[in-house]
Amino acid sequence: MDQISDEDWDVMKAMISTQIDSTPTDVTVESLRKRGSLECIAQQIKRGDDNPSARLQAWYLAMLEIEVTSKPLGLQKINYLFNHHAKEGLKSFVLDTTMTQTPADADDDEWKRRSIVANLEGKPNLSVVERQQLWQ
């Protein structure tokens, strides 16, 4: 994988900062600190600073941390994935790369049907774009 340039990494870090600034009002910086989220994000930024070849992954993990701590739907989705895998006794796990909102008119069965678990079974080597296309 190509390394992310220093200039692009600066843009990515600014995106992380902007995402933190745009969290819902009930998610404060102090609450992120108490949950360990700020420490996790800082570790990922340091990882990207120290390892240019890991910048994309570090950015994604930092953005994911913000997403699941600031949007209840993101955490619900991860909880569903975990419970599905635990119930099925699956030994591998593919994390959804698109933290999207459920349409207001979707019922639980539709949400589960469209779950990344169902869409990605047996397809472990898909790119981020291919995974996002499956989600649609």
Side-chain angles (χ1 to χ4, degrees), residues 53-69:
S53 63
R55 288 176 172 170
L56 187 61
Q57 185 178 5
W59 171 83
Y60 177 77
L61 292 171
M63 295 295 275
L64 182 63
E65 179 70 25
I66 298 165
E67 183 82 11
V68 297
T69 56

Side-chain angles (χ1 to χ4, degrees), residues 88-103:
E88 298 295 324
L90 302 174
K91 294 182 181 178
S92 64
F93 183 80
V94 178
L95 182 62
D96 179 4
T97 59
T98 57
M99 300 300 286
T100 59
Q101 293 186 354
T102 306

Side-chain angles (χ1 to χ4, degrees), residues 60 64 68 73-99 111-121 131 135:
Y60 177 77
L64 182 63
V68 297
L73 184 59
L75 193 55
Q76 286 174 344
K77 191 174 190 180
I78 291 173
N79 188 44
Y80 169 76
L81 291 171
F82 166 74
N83 287 328
H84 173 78
H85 277 70
K87 181 178 130 190
E88 298 295 324
L90 302 174
K91 294 182 181 178
S92 64
F93 183 80
V94 178
L95 182 62
D96 179 4
T97 59
T98 57
M99 300 300 286
W111 175 244
K112 290 174 186 174
R113 185 187 69 76
R114 292 184 65 195
S115 165
I116 202 68
V117 172
N119 287 333
L120 290 180
E121 281 183 337
R131 290 171 195 234
W135 182 252

